[in-house]
Amino acid sequence: RIHKSNLINFGILPLEFMDKGDYEEIDVNDELEIPNVAQKIKEGASEFKVTNKTKNKTFSVKNDFSERQRKILLSGGLLNYTKKMVA
């Protein structure tokens, strides 16, 4: 829980593999893409499709973000979110 919160606070998207075996298919220099990720976060999506552009494969990941966590992620992290709230 703490690790997840720390990632969100720094604006890093913590996701879990739907199929744990997909982790083994990713190599160090693979280029991964989540199309329209900001829009999907805004919409409250709980599942994302990730494309491994290097290997031309797709896999699914999930999240369980609260509304506040989504706002923090979309702001780029807690510091930016807090600045918006103060301004």
Side-chain angles (χ1 to χ4, degrees), residues 6-86:
N6 287 339
L7 290 172
I8 291 170
N9 289 339
F10 282 99
I12 299 169
L13 193 62
L15 298 168
E16 297 177 47
F17 289 93
M18 299 285 282
D19 177 355
K20 305 287 186 205
D22 290 331
Y23 175 80
E24 300 299 326
E25 299 293 319
I26 301 171
D27 292 318
V28 173
N29 293 316
D30 286 356
E31 183 179 347
L32 305 178
E33 178 182 58
I34 304 173
N36 305 312
V37 68
Q39 183 61 37
K40 290 178 181 177
I41 292 171
K42 282 182 193 177
E43 294 169 355
S46 60
E47 185 177 324
F48 300 99
K49 295 288 184 191
V50 180
T51 301
N52 184 331
K53 292 176 75 174
T54 306
K55 296 181 178 163
N56 198 28
K57 292 185 177 183
T58 302
F59 57 92
S60 297
V61 293
K62 63 181 178 175
N63 73 76
D64 59 351
F65 305 136
S66 68
E67 181 65 28
R68 181 174 185 271
Q69 289 172 327
R70 283 195 291 278
K71 288 178 181 178
I72 291 170
L73 285 165
L74 291 168
S75 296
L78 186 60
L79 184 60
N80 293 333
Y81 174 75
T82 305
K83 284 181 184 178
K84 285 182 182 180
M85 299 301 289
V86 173

